[in-house]
Amino acid sequence: MSKIIRKAPTEPFKPQPDDDLIICRCEEITKGEIRRAVHDGLRTVNEIKRWTRAGMGLCQGQTCQRNVQNIIARELGISVADVGMITGRAPVRPVVMEVYANDVVDKEEQR
Amino acid sequence: MIEKSTASVIIIGGGIMACATAYNLAKRGVNDIIVLEKKEIGNGGSCRNAGGVRQSARDVRELPLAMYAVKNIWPYLGEELEADVEYRQDGNLRLGKTEEHLDILEKHTAKSTSAGLDVKMITGDEAREICPYMSKEVIGASWCPTDGHANPLHTTLAFYRKALSMGVTFISGVTVYGIKKVKGRARIVETDDGDYEGEKILLCAGYESRKIADTVGIDIPVEKELSEVMVTEMEPQMFSVMLGTAESDFYGHQTKHGSFVLGGMSGGELYRTKSERFATYPLTASCLCRGVIKYFPVLKDAKIVRTWAGWYDVTVDKVPVIDNIPEVPGLTIAFGFCGHGFGISPAVGIAVSELMLDGNSHTIDISNLNYDRFKAKA
Ligand SMILES: Cc1cc2nc3c(=O)[nH]c(=O)nc-3n(C[C@H](O)[C@H](O)[C@H](O)COP(=O)(O)OP(=O)(O)OC[C@H]3O[C@@H](n4cnc5c(N)ncnc54)[C@H](O)[C@@H]3O)c2cc1C
């Protein structure tokens, strides 16, 4: 991660006409909520995720990550490469707990 | 661009202890502060924990911090930080299924009660009255009605956001290597971004503080231990208590969002490969699922959407070190939170700010968390 200097916002938050556009469909997080978080000092995709829940839903950001990255980068006037990526987390698809619990190797099957 | 690299206070590490201390310092008028974080704000334990705000089953040496935080800070913290920290004070049940479990719980309860905490043993049926979804196998529990939980991501980042708005500078993407003395005082913080200079230095970089403290000859016996958390998809609201078990098979709660956040270990963590990354261990989530289902069979159909790992910074005697270092004037340290620092973090922020500004912590008694308590066997 490259160096980022963070200071208090110097200008008030400026709303935009399309702020109520839904960006994260799983958690229903809008462009305005993401822009507001960036304005308040959250600067990376992970920080935005932890603060707003964008990318925390069932698809784990597979749908919205690009859009979130682009919004942050545009707000800050920096490159998309400098806002990071959502950390990948297991499992790739949601798994029912009873199935997940059942990892004991069957000795018969192994032979 | 030449950026300012000197400040009254340099804070090493950008976790919740750093953010809470920076906020408390700024509240007292000291905002010429630079916080140095190697990755992202809250990337360590602070955004990886399960949100327990617990006094019960704590070591009595750190109980004053926990009780102060629960009584005087947590109920008002959201308002103070202008954020929803999702604090719920609906009690903590620590569950037991065997006589041995009850034994463990009774010992903890006796110790906490003698330190003035309202916690008692209750029967399995009484526990099921508080939390109806629990298995019949639970035969008893300890019950602390003033415990609870909060959202650690929001709390950490709310402290950050507030401190930032009060003038504190945070710099992420900078790794600290060591501290250097000038004229006998801690003064220079060496980093991969050159030297930073401060009149006072706070070291609160979690487990990694150990090697930084070592550069000024201070060795605190702290090791890292991997611990994991998993989260379910959104479920209908079922209960709001914080849960744990005598055997620590798992602990957790249901969040405001509806998902269950469940954490724990699968055993032997201290002896596994010491990865530099927070990689999850393949057997742990399965093990935790088995633990949860034993106590809460209704959750067997809930889906796990995400798992992650973090480090506990565990000291040899299982409580943190929060102290000024007389051999290195100007240096204050706060680490070794042993996997339960989140609940006390708002109080740690006050104690550390007093240590740094007044020379001692006068609001909360932290005298048993001194740095020079580690002695050889008599
Ligand atoms: C899985 C898990 C579950 C937990 N559950 C609970 C719970 O339910 N209740 C509870 O009270 N507590 C819990 N905890 C403990 C709690 O999360 C920690 O005690 C607390 O977050 C510690 O905060 P910190 O600021 O000291 O450390 P951290 O949050 O770890 O912050 C340290 C920061 O320092 C940075 N850093 C490290 N080295 C350097 C360097 N060289 N240069 C610059 N920066 C550096 C790191 O990147 C990190 O951001 C849990 C912890 C884990 C891991």
Side-chain angles (χ1 to χ4, degrees):
Chain A
M1 200 106 230
S2 54
K3 176 179 164 187
I4 309 174
I5 299 166
R6 300 140 182 266
K7 287 187 184 294
T10 48
E11 283 167 28
F13 177 69
K14 286 197 204 76
Q16 284 178 1
D18 61 350
D19 269 350
D20 50 8
L21 201 68
I22 300 256
I23 302 297
C24 167
R25 286 187 285 182
C26 304
E27 297 292 325
E28 296 181 1
I29 309 300
T30 64
K31 183 178 174 194
E33 289 172 277
I34 296 168
R35 290 186 57 247
R36 172 99 225 184
V38 175
H39 172 267
D40 286 357
L42 289 314
R43 303 280 306 239
T44 68
V45 175
N46 275 330
E47 287 173 9
I48 291 291
K49 168 180 158 187
R50 290 163 180 162
W51 184 248
T52 66
R53 293 196 65 87
M56 259 192 201
L58 280 182
C59 90
Q60 292 289 295
Q62 291 178 55
T63 320
C64 67
Q65 157 145 243
R66 274 292 174 82
N67 291 331
V68 175
Q69 286 174 320
N70 284 329
I71 294 169
I72 303 173
R74 194 167 311 149
E75 287 301 304
L76 297 172
I78 60 176
S79 144
V80 170
D82 288 332
V83 302
M85 284 175 68
I86 289 183
T87 313
R89 303 276 192 223
V92 176
R93 289 176 50 188
V95 179
V96 170
M97 269 170 91
E98 194 173 30
V99 174
Y100 220 156
N102 190 21
D103 74 338
V104 182
V105 176
D106 185 334
K107 291 275 158 43
E108 285 301 314
E109 221 169 65
Q110 245 184 359
R111 261 181 226 139
Chain B
M1 184 172 62
I2 306 226
E3 272 294 330
K4 191 166 107 77
S5 60
T6 61
S8 315
V9 176
I10 305 276
I11 299 182
I12 305 170
I16 195 163
M17 303 307 170
C19 297
T21 305
Y23 164 67
N24 277 287
L25 290 170
K27 221 165 114 178
R28 290 190 51 188
V30 180
N31 67 354
D32 179 24
I33 303 173
I34 298 177
V35 179
L36 299 171
E37 161 58 46
K38 77 170 178 184
K39 207 165 171 269
E40 293 165 277
I41 304 302
N43 188 61
S46 300
C47 285
R48 292 167 190 277
N49 74 69
V53 177
R54 183 169 53 72
Q55 309 153 97
S56 54
R58 265 191 200 269
D59 191 295
V60 291
R61 290 170 293 173
E62 60 172 13
L63 206 50
L65 283 166
M67 290 174 69
Y68 186 89
V70 165
K71 185 154 182 273
N72 302 299
I73 313 178
W74 276 110
Y76 321 104
L77 191 60
E79 203 179 318
E80 196 174 336
L81 301 179
E82 295 168 88
D84 184 6
V85 298
E86 297 176 12
Y87 177 58
R88 288 294 297 262
Q89 190 178 30
D90 293 321
N92 183 306
L93 280 174
R94 219 172 164 82
L95 311 173
K97 291 197 300 187
T98 65
E99 288 303 323
E100 290 84 74
H101 290 170
L102 295 189
D103 222 41
I104 300 174
L105 295 172
E106 267 154 19
K107 282 201 185 105
H108 266 307
T109 303
K111 265 198 210 155
S112 308
T113 318
S114 65
L117 182 69
D118 174 18
V119 53
K120 61 172 192 226
M121 292 297 296
I122 58 174
T123 65
D125 284 337
E126 285 169 324
R128 271 179 292 277
E129 243 163 69
I130 295 166
C131 183
Y133 301 90
M134 203 183 296
S135 148
K136 284 268 182 297
E137 285 182 40
V138 174
I139 57 168
S142 70
W143 169 238
C144 177
T146 53
D147 280 351
H149 52 79
N151 180 326
L153 316 157
H154 283 189
T155 310
T156 302
L157 295 172
F159 268 122
Y160 158 67
R161 195 181 65 151
K162 189 75 181 177
L164 195 70
S165 77
M166 292 165 86
V168 176
T169 301
F170 288 76
I171 306 182
S172 60
V174 170
T175 301
V176 172
Y177 297 140
I179 298 166
K180 240 172 38 193
K181 289 189 196 172
V182 174
K183 295 195 179 130
R185 291 182 60 85
R187 182 93 205 177
I188 308 281
V189 175
E190 298 175 307
T191 80
D192 62 354
D193 183 44
D195 286 354
Y196 284 78
E197 204 175 324
E199 286 153 37
K200 290 192 170 139
I201 296 168
L202 167 64
L203 174 57
C204 54
Y207 158 75
E208 288 150 293
S209 304
R210 183 172 189 171
K211 57 178 187 278
I212 299 171
D214 189 48
T215 61
V216 279
I218 300 297
D219 186 36
I220 303 297
V222 57
E223 268 297 326
K224 70 176 172 193
E225 187 172 24
L226 201 72
S227 182
E228 299 188 27
V229 178
M230 54 190 195
V231 59
T232 70
E233 64 188 326
M234 195 188 289
E235 295 287 332
Q237 286 294 337
M238 289 162 70
F239 49 79
S240 56
V241 289
M242 183 76 197
L243 295 162
T245 70
E247 285 236 297
S248 304
D249 321 44
F250 80 95
Y251 60 91
H253 69 276
Q254 186 171 22
T255 65
K256 183 180 175 189
H257 165 261
S259 47
F260 282 86
V261 172
L262 304 158
M265 296 185 179
S266 51
E269 269 78 2
L270 266 179
Y271 304 92
R272 296 223 187 99
T273 321
K274 293 273 174 341
S275 166
E276 281 306 304
R277 300 175 51 226
F278 300 107
T280 52
Y281 188 66
L283 302 183
T284 302
S286 295
C287 173
L288 290 181
C289 286
R290 287 194 290 275
V292 173
I293 293 171
K294 268 187 270 169
Y295 290 86
F296 292 92
V298 286
L299 288 179
K300 70 181 185 351
D301 296 322
K303 284 184 184 139
I304 299 296
V305 293
R306 191 162 63 244
T307 64
W308 64 86
W311 292 331
Y312 288 178
D313 42 345
V314 187
T315 60
V316 65
D317 64 355
K318 307 286 189 287
V319 289
V321 176
I322 307 176
D323 209 351
N324 286 331
I325 309 290
E327 293 99 313
V328 192
L331 177 64
T332 307
I333 64 174
F335 57 90
F337 288 93
C338 303
H340 37 252
F342 172 66
I344 59 175
S345 58
V348 173
I350 292 178
V352 175
S353 64
E354 289 179 355
L355 275 178
M356 297 182 80
L357 297 182
D358 311 328
N360 67 318
S361 163
H362 42 86
T363 305
I364 307 162
D365 177 15
I366 56 164
S367 53
N368 290 314
L369 307 178
N370 51 316
Y371 82 106
D372 53 356
R373 65 178 190 260
F374 306 102
K375 305 260 160 59
K377 280 196 280 186

